[in-house]
Amino acid sequence: MTVEKLCKALGGTVVSGGAAMNENVTGYYCGDLLSRVMANAPKGCAWITVMGNVNAVAVALMAEAACILLAENVNPDPDAVEKAREKNIAVLCCGRTAGELAVAVHEALCHEQP
Amino acid sequence: MNEVLLLHYEIRGGDFIHAGESSGHVKNILKRLGFHPNLIRRTAIAMYEGEINMVIHAGGGTADVKITPEQIEIRLADHGPGIKNLDLAMREGYSTASDSVRELGFGAGMGLPNMKKYADDLKIRTAVGKGTTVSILTKVSRNQG
């Protein structure tokens, strides 16, 4: 499923998009401790977090997350948005909690039409 | 590629905005050179952990990268405070990061364990009051990791 489709399914707001919206989402990961994300987040995941700083963008880039999914309507820092756009990382914002988002992403991936 | 590629970076202490730029640059170069995606990811994460450690703990330092067709060698050197207890530092969950650094999402105590996890060889030389040199090696032969 593309980030674009996932965003529509979740009703999220695109903070940083462009070509990154075509990335393929193949899983999901919840977490805010950056090194834990790099240790355990699967490549191609939708990374659900409340960490909206510039370092989160760097971590998404290293871990090769398909997108950053900001929970609880967290507003990313302006320099994070700038870096995400520069590095072509999709950042989406949603009102739901991280747990609710994980369930929603799981359902969207399970119910995706082939 | 057949030749050896050498890269050098200066990493500034406390600069969280640019932290990761050198690891990101190496990642892009490895992609362009056509290395296996898993090797690229392992190398980038291990280097980023080292880079961020120098930003957080050491007041910055240097990164030297040697890329050959068989392996990638990364040498991160700083003149920071050194690591008092390396055994403890290698333990998952142990961290000396300040509260302000933890608020940024760092300080999980996973930096060195992550480097060990993703590298094929990790060497750390450290002296209290003098600094630390971390050598990370990733090998093409383990490209499925």
Side-chain angles (χ1 to χ4, degrees):
Chain A
M1 167 176 274
T2 62
V3 174
E4 177 88 52
K5 275 189 182 172
L6 179 67
C7 184
K8 278 187 187 152
L10 300 175
T13 307
V14 181
V15 178
S16 164
M21 297 301 282
N22 298 321
E23 287 289 320
N24 198 26
V25 182
T26 52
Y28 51 93
Y29 181 84
C30 274
D32 305 314
L33 292 175
L34 302 181
S35 285
R36 287 213 167 262
V37 176
M38 287 189 287
N40 300 311
K43 188 176 175 174
C45 68
W47 171 27
I48 303 159
T49 182
V50 291
M51 203 54 82
N53 63 30
V54 69
N55 307 113
V57 177
V59 165
L61 193 69
M62 299 307 156
E64 297 173 8
C67 64
I68 298 174
L69 201 45
L70 290 171
E72 300 174 15
N73 274 332
V74 163
N75 272 323
D77 299 343
D79 51 15
V81 176
E82 192 184 328
K83 190 156 190 161
R85 290 177 181 160
E86 179 198 326
K87 302 291 182 189
N88 201 26
I89 300 281
V91 181
L92 314 176
C93 198
C94 280
R96 291 183 249 185
T97 65
E100 289 164 350
L101 278 174
V103 173
V105 174
H106 177 80
E107 285 177 350
L109 289 175
C110 285
H111 296 127
E112 189 189 10
Q113 298 299 319
Chain B
M1 66 177 285
N2 295 315
E3 69 274 37
V4 173
L5 183 58
L6 299 172
L7 304 162
H8 175 80
Y9 303 92
E10 299 284 332
I11 291 153
R12 279 183 291 181
D15 183 355
F16 289 95
I17 302 292
H18 296 100
E21 291 291 331
S22 59
S23 313
H25 188 247
V26 169
K27 189 170 198 253
N28 285 338
I29 286 176
L30 294 176
K31 263 189 203 171
R32 282 209 299 271
L33 290 171
F35 281 95
H36 191 283
N38 288 351
L39 177 88
I40 296 172
R41 188 172 186 264
R42 290 195 291 120
T43 307
I45 292 176
M47 181 172 173
Y48 178 70
E49 288 285 14
E51 191 181 343
I52 207 76
N53 272 352
M54 290 201 293
V55 171
I56 293 172
H57 299 286
T62 57
D64 287 279
V65 182
K66 184 179 176 186
I67 301 169
T68 70
E70 293 80 28
Q71 60 187 35
I72 295 111
E73 289 174 59
I74 300 160
R75 187 175 175 274
L76 302 153
D78 68 61
H79 297 289
I83 302 167
K84 278 182 191 156
N85 189 329
L86 192 55
D87 289 338
L88 263 182
M90 289 304 296
R91 255 189 232 170
E92 284 189 14
Y94 178 82
S95 174
T96 58
S98 65
D99 286 349
S100 61
V101 165
R102 287 172 198 263
E103 280 169 18
L104 295 174
F106 298 109
M110 292 288 289
L112 291 174
N114 261 358
M115 279 186 241
K116 194 175 178 186
K117 173 180 177 177
Y118 288 114
D120 293 309
D121 189 53
L122 178 70
K123 286 193 175 67
I124 301 170
R125 286 191 294 124
T126 187
V128 172
K130 289 184 177 172
T132 301
T133 301
V134 175
S135 301
I136 297 163
L137 183 73
T138 53
K139 292 180 181 174
V140 167
S141 55
R142 198 195 111 187
N143 66 0
Q144 298 305 318

